[in-house]
Amino acid sequence: MSVGLGLLAASLLSATAVFAQAPLAGGLPGSWLEANVFAQAVSNGFGDWSGVYVRGVQAGPTRTLYGEVLALDAFTERGVQVGATVRQDWKTRVFAILGANVGNGAPILPKGRIDGVVGVRFGARREWQATAGGSYVKSTTALYDRAATASLAWYAPKALLLEAGARVNSSNPGDIQSRRLFGVAVLTPSPRRSLSVRAIGGTEGWQIVSASTTLRKFSSEEFSLAWREKLSTHWALSAQGDAYRNPFYTRRGVTLGVARYW
Protein backbone atom coordinates (compact mmCIF):
# COMPACT_ATOMS: atom_id res chain seq x y z
CA MET A 1 0.00 0.00 0.00
CA SER A 2 1.42 3.36 -0.95
CA VAL A 3 2.76 5.81 1.59
CA GLY A 4 0.33 8.32 3.01
CA LEU A 5 -2.68 6.05 2.69
CA GLY A 6 -2.69 5.04 6.33
CA LEU A 7 -2.18 8.59 7.51
CA LEU A 8 -5.53 9.74 6.17
CA ALA A 9 -7.43 6.48 6.35
CA ALA A 10 -7.01 6.16 10.10
CA SER A 11 -8.88 9.34 10.73
CA LEU A 12 -11.43 8.75 8.02
CA LEU A 13 -12.49 5.64 9.86
CA SER A 14 -11.65 6.81 13.35
CA ALA A 15 -14.55 4.86 14.86
CA THR A 16 -12.61 1.69 14.20
CA ALA A 17 -8.91 1.04 14.63
CA VAL A 18 -8.52 -1.03 11.46
CA PHE A 19 -6.44 1.72 9.84
CA ALA A 20 -3.35 3.22 11.39
CA GLN A 21 -1.34 6.35 11.89
CA ALA A 22 -3.52 9.43 12.27
CA PRO A 23 -3.80 11.18 15.65
CA LEU A 24 -6.17 9.18 17.82
CA ALA A 25 -9.51 10.75 18.69
CA GLY A 26 -9.71 8.56 21.79
CA GLY A 27 -13.45 8.78 22.27
CA LEU A 28 -13.78 12.40 23.41
CA PRO A 29 -17.36 13.44 22.53
CA GLY A 30 -18.78 16.34 20.50
CA SER A 31 -18.30 18.06 17.15
CA TRP A 32 -14.89 19.61 16.52
CA LEU A 33 -12.35 21.07 14.13
CA GLU A 34 -8.71 20.13 14.58
CA ALA A 35 -5.40 20.99 12.94
CA ASN A 36 -2.23 18.91 13.24
CA VAL A 37 1.35 19.42 12.14
CA PHE A 38 3.79 16.53 11.92
CA ALA A 39 7.46 15.88 11.23
CA GLN A 40 9.14 12.49 10.85
CA ALA A 41 12.78 11.62 10.20
CA VAL A 42 13.36 8.91 7.57
CA SER A 43 16.65 6.98 7.33
CA ASN A 44 18.82 5.88 4.40
CA GLY A 45 18.31 9.03 2.34
CA PHE A 46 14.67 8.38 1.45
CA GLY A 47 13.61 11.89 2.46
CA ASP A 48 11.97 13.10 5.67
CA TRP A 49 8.22 13.59 6.13
CA SER A 50 6.38 16.75 7.16
CA GLY A 51 2.94 18.17 6.65
CA VAL A 52 -0.36 19.54 7.90
CA TYR A 53 -3.57 17.65 8.53
CA VAL A 54 -6.99 19.26 9.17
CA ARG A 55 -10.17 17.42 10.13
CA GLY A 56 -13.70 18.60 10.85
CA VAL A 57 -16.32 16.42 12.56
CA GLN A 58 -20.04 17.10 12.91
CA ALA A 59 -21.62 14.66 15.34
CA GLY A 60 -25.37 14.04 15.50
CA PRO A 61 -27.54 11.59 17.48
CA THR A 62 -27.24 8.83 14.85
CA ARG A 63 -25.00 10.26 12.11
CA THR A 64 -21.47 11.65 12.18
CA LEU A 65 -19.84 13.46 9.25
CA TYR A 66 -16.08 13.78 8.73
CA GLY A 67 -14.21 16.06 6.33
CA GLU A 68 -10.42 16.07 5.99
CA VAL A 69 -7.48 17.61 4.13
CA LEU A 70 -3.89 16.34 4.19
CA ALA A 71 -0.86 18.20 2.78
CA LEU A 72 2.12 15.82 2.77
CA ASP A 73 5.81 16.25 1.97
CA ALA A 74 7.42 12.80 1.89
CA PHE A 75 10.28 11.07 0.06
CA THR A 76 11.12 14.45 -1.62
CA GLU A 77 7.62 14.51 -3.17
CA ARG A 78 4.65 16.73 -2.29
CA GLY A 79 0.95 15.93 -2.44
CA VAL A 80 -2.51 16.91 -1.23
CA GLN A 81 -5.40 14.62 -0.37
CA VAL A 82 -9.02 15.38 0.58
CA GLY A 83 -11.60 13.03 2.03
CA ALA A 84 -15.11 12.68 3.41
CA THR A 85 -16.72 10.00 5.58
CA VAL A 86 -20.13 9.31 7.07
CA ARG A 87 -20.92 7.07 10.06
CA GLN A 88 -24.52 5.95 10.55
CA ASP A 89 -25.75 4.26 13.76
CA TRP A 90 -28.93 2.17 13.93
CA LYS A 91 -30.76 1.04 17.10
CA THR A 92 -27.65 1.48 19.31
CA ARG A 93 -26.22 -1.88 18.19
CA VAL A 94 -25.43 -1.63 14.46
CA PHE A 95 -23.42 1.00 12.60
CA ALA A 96 -21.81 1.51 9.20
CA ILE A 97 -18.97 3.74 8.00
CA LEU A 98 -18.27 4.74 4.41
CA GLY A 99 -15.35 6.96 3.41
CA ALA A 100 -13.68 8.14 0.22
CA ASN A 101 -10.67 10.31 -0.58
CA VAL A 102 -8.81 11.54 -3.65
CA GLY A 103 -5.31 12.83 -4.26
CA ASN A 104 -3.99 15.59 -6.48
CA GLY A 105 -1.91 13.23 -8.62
CA ALA A 106 1.26 13.06 -6.50
CA PRO A 107 2.72 9.52 -6.64
CA ILE A 108 3.11 9.27 -2.83
CA LEU A 109 -0.69 9.50 -2.38
CA PRO A 110 -3.48 7.41 -3.88
CA LYS A 111 -5.36 8.64 -6.90
CA GLY A 112 -8.50 7.48 -5.09
CA ARG A 113 -9.62 5.32 -2.20
CA ILE A 114 -12.89 3.90 -0.82
CA ASP A 115 -13.27 2.27 2.62
CA GLY A 116 -16.36 0.70 4.18
CA VAL A 117 -17.03 -0.92 7.55
CA VAL A 118 -20.08 -2.50 9.19
CA GLY A 119 -20.08 -2.96 12.97
CA VAL A 120 -22.24 -4.76 15.53
CA ARG A 121 -22.28 -4.21 19.30
CA PHE A 122 -23.27 -7.11 21.54
CA GLY A 123 -23.21 -8.26 25.13
CA ALA A 124 -25.41 -7.34 28.08
CA ARG A 125 -23.95 -3.81 28.19
CA ARG A 126 -23.04 -3.70 24.49
CA GLU A 127 -19.45 -3.91 25.71
CA TRP A 128 -18.28 -5.94 22.68
CA GLN A 129 -17.98 -4.61 19.14
CA ALA A 130 -17.18 -6.58 15.97
CA THR A 131 -16.46 -4.94 12.61
CA ALA A 132 -15.90 -6.18 9.07
CA GLY A 133 -15.18 -4.19 5.95
CA GLY A 134 -13.20 -3.66 2.81
CA SER A 135 -11.07 -1.16 0.88
CA TYR A 136 -10.21 -0.33 -2.70
CA VAL A 137 -7.12 1.80 -3.33
CA LYS A 138 -5.95 3.03 -6.76
CA SER A 139 -2.49 4.53 -7.15
CA THR A 140 -1.42 7.05 -9.78
CA THR A 141 0.21 4.10 -11.60
CA ALA A 142 -1.28 0.76 -12.66
CA LEU A 143 -1.10 -0.51 -9.06
CA TYR A 144 -4.27 -1.03 -7.03
CA ASP A 145 -5.29 -2.79 -3.81
CA ARG A 146 -8.33 -4.73 -2.67
CA ALA A 147 -8.49 -5.53 1.04
CA ALA A 148 -10.74 -7.12 3.67
CA THR A 149 -10.61 -6.02 7.31
CA ALA A 150 -12.01 -7.32 10.60
CA SER A 151 -11.70 -6.34 14.25
CA LEU A 152 -13.01 -7.17 17.71
CA ALA A 153 -13.15 -4.57 20.49
CA TRP A 154 -13.96 -4.79 24.19
CA TYR A 155 -15.12 -1.75 26.14
CA ALA A 156 -13.68 -2.91 29.41
CA PRO A 157 -14.43 -1.49 32.88
CA LYS A 158 -12.60 1.63 34.09
CA ALA A 159 -12.89 3.43 30.71
CA LEU A 160 -10.53 1.05 28.89
CA LEU A 161 -10.95 0.03 25.24
CA LEU A 162 -9.04 -2.96 23.86
CA GLU A 163 -9.17 -3.84 20.17
CA ALA A 164 -7.44 -6.30 17.85
CA GLY A 165 -7.89 -6.91 14.16
CA ALA A 166 -6.45 -7.91 10.81
CA ARG A 167 -6.22 -6.73 7.22
CA VAL A 168 -5.81 -9.11 4.27
CA ASN A 169 -4.73 -7.36 1.09
CA SER A 170 -4.30 -8.24 -2.58
CA SER A 171 -2.09 -5.89 -4.63
CA ASN A 172 -2.28 -5.92 -8.41
CA PRO A 173 -0.95 -6.35 -11.06
CA GLY A 174 0.78 -9.50 -9.81
CA ASP A 175 -1.69 -10.61 -7.12
CA ILE A 176 0.76 -9.80 -4.30
CA GLN A 177 -0.75 -11.02 -1.03
CA SER A 178 -0.07 -9.20 2.24
CA ARG A 179 -1.44 -9.39 5.78
CA ARG A 180 -1.26 -7.09 8.79
CA LEU A 181 -2.35 -7.47 12.42
CA PHE A 182 -2.97 -4.65 14.86
CA GLY A 183 -3.68 -4.10 18.54
CA VAL A 184 -5.01 -0.93 20.21
CA ALA A 185 -5.53 0.13 23.83
CA VAL A 186 -7.35 3.39 24.64
CA LEU A 187 -7.72 4.66 28.19
CA THR A 188 -10.19 7.51 28.79
CA PRO A 189 -9.98 8.16 32.53
CA SER A 190 -12.20 11.26 32.25
CA PRO A 191 -14.23 13.06 29.54
CA ARG A 192 -11.26 15.42 29.25
CA ARG A 193 -8.39 13.00 28.72
CA SER A 194 -7.48 10.17 26.35
CA LEU A 195 -4.33 8.01 26.22
CA SER A 196 -3.80 5.57 23.35
CA VAL A 197 -1.24 3.02 22.22
CA ARG A 198 -1.29 1.10 18.93
CA ALA A 199 0.96 -1.58 17.41
CA ILE A 200 0.82 -2.96 13.86
CA GLY A 201 2.88 -5.59 12.08
CA GLY A 202 2.88 -7.77 8.98
CA THR A 203 3.59 -7.44 5.27
CA GLU A 204 2.95 -4.77 2.66
CA GLY A 205 2.34 -5.36 -1.05
CA TRP A 206 3.84 -2.13 -2.37
CA GLN A 207 4.84 1.37 -1.41
CA ILE A 208 5.49 4.17 -3.91
CA VAL A 209 8.36 6.41 -2.79
CA SER A 210 8.76 8.38 -6.06
CA ALA A 211 7.49 8.47 -9.62
CA SER A 212 10.22 5.98 -10.57
CA THR A 213 10.65 3.87 -7.39
CA THR A 214 8.21 1.36 -5.86
CA LEU A 215 9.04 -0.95 -2.94
CA ARG A 216 7.34 -4.36 -3.24
CA LYS A 217 6.45 -7.25 -0.90
CA PHE A 218 8.16 -6.58 2.42
CA SER A 219 7.54 -6.80 6.16
CA SER A 220 7.10 -3.78 8.41
CA GLU A 221 6.18 -2.84 11.98
CA GLU A 222 4.83 0.39 13.45
CA PHE A 223 4.00 1.75 16.88
CA SER A 224 2.07 4.84 17.99
CA LEU A 225 1.54 6.47 21.38
CA ALA A 226 -0.97 9.34 21.68
CA TRP A 227 -2.33 11.74 24.30
CA ARG A 228 -5.22 14.19 24.08
CA GLU A 229 -6.26 16.67 26.77
CA LYS A 230 -9.40 18.79 26.72
CA LEU A 231 -8.24 21.98 28.42
CA SER A 232 -11.66 23.64 28.56
CA THR A 233 -15.18 23.22 27.19
CA HIS A 234 -14.00 24.28 23.73
CA TRP A 235 -10.27 23.57 23.40
CA ALA A 236 -8.04 20.49 23.40
CA LEU A 237 -4.39 19.71 22.71
CA SER A 238 -2.94 16.45 21.41
CA ALA A 239 0.44 14.84 20.83
CA GLN A 240 1.46 11.59 19.17
CA GLY A 241 4.73 9.76 18.66
CA ASP A 242 5.23 7.28 15.80
CA ALA A 243 7.88 4.72 14.93
CA TYR A 244 7.91 2.63 11.73
CA ARG A 245 10.43 0.13 10.34
CA ASN A 246 10.82 -1.91 7.17
CA PRO A 247 13.91 -3.48 5.50
CA PHE A 248 14.59 -0.28 3.50
CA TYR A 249 14.24 2.53 6.07
CA THR A 250 13.00 3.57 9.50
CA ARG A 251 10.69 6.50 10.22
CA ARG A 252 10.23 8.25 13.58
CA GLY A 253 8.48 11.48 14.48
CA VAL A 254 5.82 13.43 16.31
CA THR A 255 2.45 15.01 15.58
CA LEU A 256 1.11 18.01 17.52
CA GLY A 257 -2.47 19.20 17.30
CA VAL A 258 -5.06 21.65 18.58
CA ALA A 259 -8.84 21.14 18.45
CA ARG A 260 -11.86 23.42 18.86
CA TYR A 261 -15.00 21.73 20.23
CA TRP A 262 -18.68 22.66 20.03
Side-chain angles (χ1 to χ4, degrees):
M1 187 181 300
S2 61
V3 68
L5 300 185
L7 195 64
L8 188 58
S11 54
L12 280 175
L13 297 175
S14 57
T16 165
V18 170
F19 308 97
Q21 270 185 331
L24 301 170
L28 299 181
S31 298
W32 71 92
L33 178 67
E34 67 174 308
N36 302 275
V37 295
F38 56 89
Q40 301 194 352
V42 180
S43 68
N44 295 336
F46 275 86
D48 295 339
W49 288 26
S50 62
V52 178
Y53 170 75
V54 178
R55 172 173 57 182
V57 180
Q58 182 180 20
T62 61
R63 182 174 298 171
T64 303
L65 303 176
Y66 302 78
E68 313 192 320
V69 179
L70 168 70
L72 176 66
D73 188 335
F75 301 135
T76 72
E77 301 273 357
R78 292 182 177 178
V80 176
Q81 191 172 39
V82 298
T85 296
V86 59
R87 169 176 170 143
Q88 180 67 50
D89 288 75
W90 293 286
K91 298 182 179 179
T92 73
R93 287 189 180 269
V94 181
F95 65 90
I97 305 171
L98 181 63
N101 59 67
V102 295
N104 69 336
I108 57 172
L109 292 168
K111 181 178 180 181
R113 175 173 185 148
I114 298 176
D115 296 281
V117 170
V118 175
V120 178
R121 305 180 192 89
F122 57 97
R125 299 180 290 105
R126 298 190 294 275
E127 69 273 24
W128 292 94
Q129 175 179 288
T131 67
S135 302
Y136 175 80
V137 183
K138 180 66 176 73
S139 78
T140 56
T141 71
L143 291 166
Y144 65 92
D145 280 358
R146 294 184 180 131
T149 60
S151 70
L152 180 65
W154 177 40
Y155 290 84
K158 298 184 179 180
L160 177 64
L161 166 64
L162 300 174
E163 185 169 11
R167 178 183 182 91
V168 179
N169 195 90
S170 175
S171 300
N172 291 277
D175 191 26
I176 304 172
Q177 302 296 311
S178 57
R179 296 170 178 81
R180 294 182 76 73
L181 302 176
F182 77 87
V184 178
V186 181
L187 178 64
T188 309
S190 78
R192 306 178 69 90
R193 182 173 300 119
S194 173
L195 304 170
S196 308
V197 60
R198 176 162 43 203
I200 304 170
T203 55
E204 298 185 54
W206 51 270
Q207 192 178 105
I208 296 177
V209 299
S210 72
S212 59
T213 303
T214 300
L215 310 179
R216 294 175 183 264
K217 190 60 176 179
F218 56 90
S219 298
S220 65
E221 303 84 36
E222 51 192 300
F223 180 83
S224 298
L225 181 64
W227 160 83
R228 178 174 295 223
E229 186 79 17
K230 203 167 183 183
L231 302 177
S232 67
T233 303
H234 297 298
W235 294 97
L237 298 177
S238 63
Q240 176 168 316
D242 295 287
Y244 170 91
R245 180 181 65 181
N246 67 31
F248 308 99
Y249 66 86
T250 60
R251 173 172 49 80
R252 296 183 178 88
V254 297
T255 299
L256 302 176
V258 59
R260 173 68 161 86
Y261 282 78
W262 288 272

